[in-house]
Amino acid sequence: MKQITMTIRTLSPVVLSAMSNATVMTASHSYFSGSIVRGILASRYIQQQELGAHAEEDEAFLSLFFDKLRFVAAYPLAADGTRAFVLPFSMQKSKDGRELLDLMQREGRPGFKSMKGFGVAHGAELAQVNVRKTINLHMSRSDIKAHDGKERLAGRSMAGGIYNYEAVDAGQSFAGVIYGEDEDLQALCDGLGASKWFGYAGRSRFTQYGHCAVSLSDIEDIPQEPVETGNDTICLRLETPLIPDSNIADDAATVLGFVATALNERTQGGFSVELGPRKIVAKSEPVENFVGVWGMKRPRVQALAAGSVFFLKKDGGWTDADKAALQELLYAGIGSRTEEGFGQLRIWPVVEHTVAKAVAEAPAAKPNAMHPTVCHHAEAIIRKHFIAQVQVWAAEDVQASKGYFPENSTHFFARLDALLGSSEKNAQNHLASAIGYELGNASTPFAKGLQKVAVRDRKLKWYLTEANLSDMPYNQRDWQSLIEELQLERAMQIIWGQSKLGNIQSSEALFYAYWHAFFRYGRKAAAGAGKGADVE
């Protein structure tokens, strides 16, 4: 087999839809799946060969894209141009990030946590690779209900539809790989008509999302991974999710047993998956994708996730024929939908991994090493990130609270927003005082609304007139995970010499941002549900 490397450069934000429980959030993967890689190339091939809407009738197209070639996911490129891989679930790091531990070699220790995401390895050195993503707020102007184009003409949402897109930022590079025989890869290149072009991928293509630059390498030899066995065993990791042929969610050992079965069919036999402590570290994940040609989602299936690792044993020792069969299986794939890159395997060297020098040896900047003006701007950026996040949480809390909305709630939320005012300075006391003056007695619709609307199991009146800033709904969220996701821990240490998260959580700016967004989204959600007249 040979390979072609496909590089994708994001020229605009790209939404690579991932499953999420949030009703107002479309989450995004941090990579281009094999299905998307195949789709990008298939679209180009169909266009160049002028196959139109009936590409499935072309034998060459079907042979290349549904049989002979393997289109493997495009993972992010590290700063040195190395293609990253999904970190094995067995890898852990100390909380200070200076020490690594592989559960396939040693038992876990206190003070270590799982490594997640992508990484690159150079020998025994291992470094994480991060993908930048941003959340963007949108309002629906699709005219789904009326079909009269009024929203487009008005330039605003009349139905109150609110949603958020998480998108991979522009200016990042990803690399996928196409595996196949030399003549099939050459046929693909000939059919594409160019090695470089511009294309689109992901959700909301042809609007503000999805613009990419695509380039293909020459046909190359596949790097041969050394098959080094110890005690007649070798450690393998899943480069991509493995979908079992049965499409039934069995336990990990049963699914991985298909690898041993496939090798036994190619050799004299004797292969098995080792069972026991620190022999298998795996997770399952659902796999589904949207097929544009069908205009619908593909049925969801359960798979073993990329990053699963396990030991494969060969009774009687490994022969050269065994090693050659394993090399072939690594890139041919195992299980279902291998043409979309599922079921790819790679050898995971069982060595004492260390943190890459560029990470481990980077000196921590002292608080006084940064110019005050830089610190001021950096602090403003961090606060802006947190304000954007609490606005998203406000939208989610509105959706969860819609069942508690009072009658004429558009007016109710508009009144609250007016009482909040336009200044974040002393916003909490100002709002509490204004509500106290407005209440009069408990029988007014306004007072009843404050007692009826509940946010995260507490009444709106309590939040707005009695609670402390630390009790606000947004402070009931997982802030530590947010900080880790945005990689802000080190930035806060550099700017302030400490986290100061508590100060930010108890700031009037967050209070104002959350409730201004909550009242605004509540008003729009109520208008969309037909509760009350809209208020301008």
Side-chain angles (χ1 to χ4, degrees):
M1 296 179 74
K2 301 277 188 175
Q3 71 174 35
I4 293 175
T5 301
M6 174 181 174
T7 302
I8 303 172
R9 179 76 174 173
T10 57
L11 303 179
S12 68
V14 181
V15 182
L16 306 170
S17 299
M19 286 181 291
S20 171
N21 293 326
T23 58
V24 295
M25 166 73 79
T26 296
S28 175
H29 285 296
S30 300
Y31 64 94
F32 293 76
S33 68
S35 303
I36 294 176
V37 169
R38 185 177 69 164
I40 293 172
L41 295 173
S43 297
R44 170 75 182 186
Y45 187 97
I46 291 171
Q47 179 187 32
Q48 292 300 113
Q49 299 304 310
E50 299 181 352
L51 300 181
H54 298 286
E56 75 280 0
E57 298 175 0
D58 186 82
E59 292 185 8
F61 175 81
L62 290 177
S63 176
L64 291 176
F65 288 92
F66 292 87
D67 182 20
K68 294 182 177 179
L69 299 179
R70 302 290 181 262
F71 301 88
V72 179
Y75 291 148
L77 293 180
D80 63 357
T82 304
R83 178 176 178 266
F85 55 85
V86 178
L87 287 166
F89 295 128
S90 61
M91 289 305 303
Q92 295 189 331
K93 66 178 178 180
S94 59
K95 290 185 178 179
D96 60 10
R98 297 180 180 178
E99 188 177 354
L100 302 182
L101 182 152
D102 191 345
L103 295 177
M104 301 302 280
Q105 303 176 65
R106 293 183 288 165
E107 293 185 359
R109 288 159 44 193
F112 281 75
K113 60 181 181 180
S114 298
M115 295 181 71
K116 298 179 181 179
F118 298 96
V120 292
H122 297 290
E125 291 187 343
L126 187 65
Q128 287 189 274
V129 176
N130 299 302
V131 176
R132 302 188 309 276
K133 294 195 287 188
T134 302
I135 296 173
N136 296 308
L137 175 69
H138 297 276
M139 296 184 188
S140 173
R141 297 181 185 173
S142 57
D143 301 321
I144 293 176
K145 294 181 179 179
H147 300 284
D148 56 10
K150 289 184 178 179
E151 287 187 339
R152 296 284 176 180
L153 292 173
R156 63 184 179 89
S157 173
M158 294 180 175
I162 301 167
Y163 58 94
N164 297 278
Y165 273 170
E166 181 183 49
V168 174
D169 286 348
Q172 300 181 88
S173 294
F174 301 77
V177 190
I178 305 102
Y179 297 109
E181 298 301 329
D182 197 338
E183 60 272 19
D184 297 322
L185 292 173
Q186 188 59 56
L188 174 66
C189 292
D190 294 341
L192 295 173
S195 61
K196 295 181 180 180
W197 68 90
F198 296 104
Y200 290 85
R203 190 162 180 167
S204 291
R205 298 188 299 273
F206 314 120
T207 54
Q208 70 189 74
Y209 294 103
H211 194 203
C212 303
V214 181
S215 61
L216 302 178
S217 71
D218 295 331
I219 298 174
E220 308 164 326
D221 291 328
I222 294 176
Q224 295 296 303
E225 300 190 43
V227 182
E228 298 178 358
T229 63
N231 298 323
D232 296 334
T233 63
I234 190 169
C235 189
L236 299 177
R237 65 174 174 86
L238 291 186
E239 170 79 354
T240 57
L242 191 163
I243 303 175
D245 289 318
S246 61
N247 286 336
I248 297 176
D250 293 313
D251 61 277
T254 301
V255 175
L256 294 172
F258 296 145
V259 178
T261 300
L263 282 172
N264 286 330
E265 293 173 351
R266 288 168 165 80
T267 63
Q268 297 298 316
F271 289 96
S272 61
V273 173
E274 284 202 301
L275 305 177
R278 302 202 308 277
K279 299 299 183 183
I280 298 176
V281 182
K283 294 182 181 180
S284 65
E285 70 173 25
V287 173
E288 68 177 13
N289 60 293
F290 185 85
V291 183
V293 176
W294 296 350
M296 61 187 299
K297 286 185 177 180
R298 194 166 187 168
R300 181 183 299 183
V301 295
Q302 203 70 16
L304 277 190
S308 299
V309 283
F310 63 100
F311 277 107
L312 183 71
K313 183 177 179 63
K314 169 64 185 342
D315 293 333
W318 289 69
T319 66
D320 290 341
D322 294 334
K323 295 179 179 180
L326 177 61
Q327 288 281 0
E328 179 184 354
L329 189 64
L330 295 179
Y331 300 99
I334 188 75
S336 295
R337 295 168 60 177
T338 53
E339 66 278 1
E340 296 173 67
F342 290 104
Q344 289 281 309
L345 299 161
R346 298 295 182 266
I347 295 172
W348 178 243
V350 183
V351 298
E352 292 286 342
H353 287 93
T354 60
V355 181
K357 293 179 180 178
V359 176
E361 296 180 359
K366 296 180 181 180
N368 59 1
M370 187 176 289
H371 193 278
T373 302
V374 176
C375 287
H376 175 75
H377 288 298
E379 180 177 351
I381 292 171
I382 290 176
R383 292 183 183 276
K384 184 177 180 181
H385 275 297
F386 288 155
I387 286 174
Q389 183 60 60
V390 299
Q391 289 172 335
V392 172
W393 287 338
E396 294 175 350
D397 289 344
V398 164
Q399 292 297 319
S401 303
K402 285 177 68 174
Y404 301 101
F405 282 11
E407 292 298 322
N408 199 26
S409 48
T410 51
H411 177 77
F412 172 71
F413 286 117
R415 185 60 187 152
L416 282 172
D417 201 21
L419 294 178
L420 179 63
S422 59
S423 174
E424 64 185 35
K425 185 177 180 180
N426 202 28
Q428 184 186 31
N429 289 336
H430 172 79
L431 180 59
S433 299
I435 289 176
Y437 181 80
E438 183 81 11
L439 281 177
N441 61 72
S443 62
T444 64
F446 182 76
K448 292 179 179 179
L450 290 173
Q451 292 287 5
K452 183 176 182 180
V453 177
V455 185
R456 303 185 74 82
D457 300 326
R458 299 302 297 264
K459 297 300 183 182
L460 193 60
K461 181 182 178 183
W462 181 79
Y463 283 119
L464 302 182
T465 62
E466 302 175 33
N468 298 319
L469 287 172
S470 59
D471 299 323
M472 292 299 123
Y474 49 84
N475 283 328
Q476 300 172 33
R477 301 283 190 150
D478 188 354
W479 280 87
Q480 192 57 44
S481 295
L482 173 66
I483 290 172
E484 292 179 2
E485 181 180 346
L486 296 177
Q487 304 170 51
L488 294 179
E489 185 72 44
R490 184 167 178 267
M492 291 191 292
Q493 291 288 341
I494 292 172
I495 296 169
W496 300 307
Q498 55 181 316
S499 171
K500 276 196 175 180
L501 176 59
N503 293 352
I504 295 177
Q505 288 177 285
S506 299
S507 69
E508 295 281 354
L510 253 61
F511 176 91
Y512 181 86
Y514 177 86
W515 290 113
H516 178 58
F518 187 95
F519 300 152
R520 180 169 173 255
Y521 297 157
R523 175 186 168 192
K524 289 182 174 293
K531 294 183 178 181
D534 200 2
V535 179
E536 293 294 341

